């Protein structure tokens, strides 16, 4: 390896955080590359419409927003490499980023690999995934035209996705283990007004049953009485939280109890030269607007870190 093989900044993950970080890094003329294992866009590729990203008073499709983010980063010369990050070596001033397609070297690394849906972890979930069990209403909702479906969860995403599913399904059953919702009031009220939605509160799913054609029913249990009852549905959409895409992150990078990377306000992680941005970071609000802010801050501070190394040399 000679000095020319070393990037200033390698950005991991092509969602809103990584795309924004690469826009800032490329525009500031750092030698940088964005690594993404799938298509650019991250979680935006899994849903339809974004209503709360500033600058779009009528909302914008998630796909269009991805196109705009990508076009802007490319205008400043964003270099993009397809590959999955498998491991990081973060000791020393030159970090190694091991991909399935080779190894990259960099003075600084911005981790923006986001997160994935948490599993319910009940009998039948794995067996029927893709055959009635789904984690993406936009992807699979249209399969349930004129049918009844269930949504499991009580946060913003669960209730928003239940509302979306009413476009196709004749009835959407929301199953929530608590007696009240964590979703913000405006979304919850919209769901309460929607006569296609039925709430099953204080209920958990203990099993997903079905046959050759896929899911046929859920077994629900009342958390107070312990009583169980079947709910006949051919589809169940699970929105019960998120787990960070962090398998490749070595233990010296501090993480919280859920595995999200702990940073300071400059997006610096616990290892010098390592920054984190977006949903992979330990924080309260995981949204496009916060991912974008994190990405800009992380790239800016990664750049400052690289300049401090260059001044030392
Ligand atoms: C159903 C749903 C609806 C939502 N609706 C909204 C909404 O209306 N408004 C809003 O503001 N937010 C919404 N969000 C949240 C928003 O999409 C996220 O907060 C945002 O996408 C986070 O961006 P990110 O860049 O941090 O991570 P992500 O979007 O998760 O992107 C991370 C990227 O990293 C890649 N990656 C992961 N691991 C690796 C690896 N090892 N190697 C290489 N690449 C890797 C992934 O493929 C992915 O492309 C929604 C999320 C979901 C799931």
């Amino acid at each position: 390896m000679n000095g020319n093989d070393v990037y200033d900044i390698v950005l991991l993950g092509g969602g809103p955080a990584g795309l924004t970080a690469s826009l800032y890094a490329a525009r500031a003329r750092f030698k940088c590359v964005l690594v993404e294992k799938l298509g650019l866009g991250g979680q935006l590729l899994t849903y339809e419409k974004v209503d709360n990203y500033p600058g779009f008073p009528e909302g914008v499709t998630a796909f269009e927003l991805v196109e705009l983010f990508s076009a802007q980063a490319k205008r400043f010369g964003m270099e993009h490499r397809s590959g999955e990050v498998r491991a990081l070596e973060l000791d020393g001033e030159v970090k190694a980023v091991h991909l399935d397609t080779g190894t990259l070297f960099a003075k600084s690394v911005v981790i923006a690999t986001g997160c994935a849906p948490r599993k319910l972890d009940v009998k039948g979930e794995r067996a029927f995934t893709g055959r009635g069990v789904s984690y993406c209403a936009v992807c699979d909702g249209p399969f349930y035209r004129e049918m009844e479906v269930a949504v499991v969860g009580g946060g913003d995403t669960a209730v928003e996705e239940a509302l979306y599913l009413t476009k196709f399904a004749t009835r959407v059953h929301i199953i929530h283990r608590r007696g009240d919702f964590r979703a913000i009031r405006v979304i919850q009220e919209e769901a309460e007004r929607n006569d296609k939605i039925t709430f099953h509160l204080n209920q958990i799913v203990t099993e997903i049953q079905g046959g050759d054609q896929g899911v046929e029913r859920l077994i629900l249990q009342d958390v107070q009485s312990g009583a169980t009852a079947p709910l006949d549905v051919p589809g169940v959409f699970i929105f019960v939280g998120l787990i960070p895409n962090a398998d490749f992150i070595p233990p010296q990078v501090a993480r919280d109890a859920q595995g999200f990377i702990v940073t300071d306000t400059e997006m610096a992680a616990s290892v010098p030269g390592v920054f984190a941005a977006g949903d992979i970071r330990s924080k309260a609000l995981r949204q496009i607007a916060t991912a974008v802010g994190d990405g800009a801050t992380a790239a800016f501070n990664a750049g400052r870190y690289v300049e401090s190394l260059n001044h030392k040399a």
Side-chain angles (χ1 to χ4, degrees):
M1 174 184 48
N2 68 45
N4 293 334
D5 297 329
V6 178
Y7 284 97
D8 291 324
I9 309 171
V10 171
L11 308 123
L12 313 181
L19 284 169
T20 307
S22 66
L23 158 64
Y24 273 68
R27 187 166 182 266
R29 304 259 170 87
F30 287 102
K31 180 175 158 60
C32 58
V33 62
L34 175 84
V35 179
E36 167 57 54
K37 66 175 179 177
L38 303 170
L40 293 177
Q43 291 168 63
L44 268 77
L45 300 179
T46 68
Y47 51 89
E48 194 188 41
K49 195 172 176 199
V50 178
D51 236 357
N52 58 357
Y53 189 70
F56 299 91
E58 303 306 322
V60 57
T61 67
F63 180 76
E64 195 183 342
L65 198 53
V66 171
E67 292 286 296
L68 292 169
F69 281 174
S70 307
Q72 195 167 1
K74 283 174 187 158
R75 179 160 73 89
F76 293 109
M78 175 186 74
E79 187 186 330
H80 165 213
R81 175 162 172 165
S82 293
E84 177 169 351
V85 186
R86 293 279 170 82
L88 300 177
E89 284 178 66
L90 301 175
D91 299 323
E93 289 186 356
V94 175
K95 328 281 185 205
V97 178
H98 298 290
L99 312 179
D100 54 347
T101 51
T103 297
L104 302 172
F105 297 95
K107 295 174 184 167
S108 180
V109 176
V110 174
I111 305 173
T113 46
C115 52
R118 185 176 291 284
K119 305 279 186 286
L120 210 50
D121 219 7
V122 296
K123 193 170 170 203
E125 182 179 19
R126 184 195 283 254
F128 291 110
T129 293
R131 295 195 303 134
V133 173
S134 173
Y135 304 88
C136 176
V138 163
C139 317
D140 298 326
F143 295 125
Y144 297 94
R145 236 172 255 284
E146 304 303 313
M147 296 182 211
E148 297 200 9
V149 294
V151 165
V152 185
D156 288 353
T157 303
V159 180
E160 277 176 347
E161 298 304 289
L163 283 163
Y164 173 76
L165 287 165
T166 60
K167 293 211 298 194
F168 312 102
T170 48
R171 178 143 308 280
V172 179
H173 300 269
I174 301 185
I175 298 150
H176 181 37
R177 65 190 164 132
R178 299 215 171 86
D180 51 10
F181 280 86
R182 279 177 292 118
I184 58 169
R185 197 70 221 149
V186 58
I187 300 172
Q188 194 185 319
E189 283 170 2
E190 197 181 336
E192 284 163 356
R193 280 196 305 273
N194 191 313
D195 59 11
K196 281 188 168 181
I197 292 182
T198 303
F199 294 93
H200 301 257
L201 300 182
N202 298 307
Q203 304 279 320
I204 55 170
V205 176
T206 58
E207 189 176 343
I208 299 167
Q209 297 179 344
D212 292 346
Q213 301 302 311
V215 170
E216 292 169 1
R217 76 190 67 78
L218 311 180
I219 304 299
L220 304 187
Q221 182 175 46
D222 188 299
V223 292
Q224 287 159 348
S225 70
T228 59
L231 176 69
D232 290 340
V233 283
V236 54
F237 291 81
I238 298 170
F239 302 107
V240 292
L242 302 164
I243 42 173
N245 295 323
D247 289 352
F248 59 89
I249 298 174
Q252 79 251 48
V253 178
R255 295 201 268 151
D256 68 13
Q258 283 74 44
F260 293 95
I261 299 174
V262 176
T263 68
D264 64 13
T265 54
E266 307 307 312
M267 305 301 133
S270 56
V271 176
V274 178
F275 298 81
D279 281 12
I280 188 78
R281 201 167 77 75
S282 182
K283 61 180 186 176
L285 183 64
R286 292 195 171 83
Q287 289 278 282
I288 303 163
T290 61
V292 161
D294 288 359
T297 308
F300 175 75
N301 288 304
R304 284 175 70 158
Y305 173 83
V306 169
E307 276 164 359
S308 75
L309 288 187
N310 293 345
H311 285 139
K312 242 175 33 177

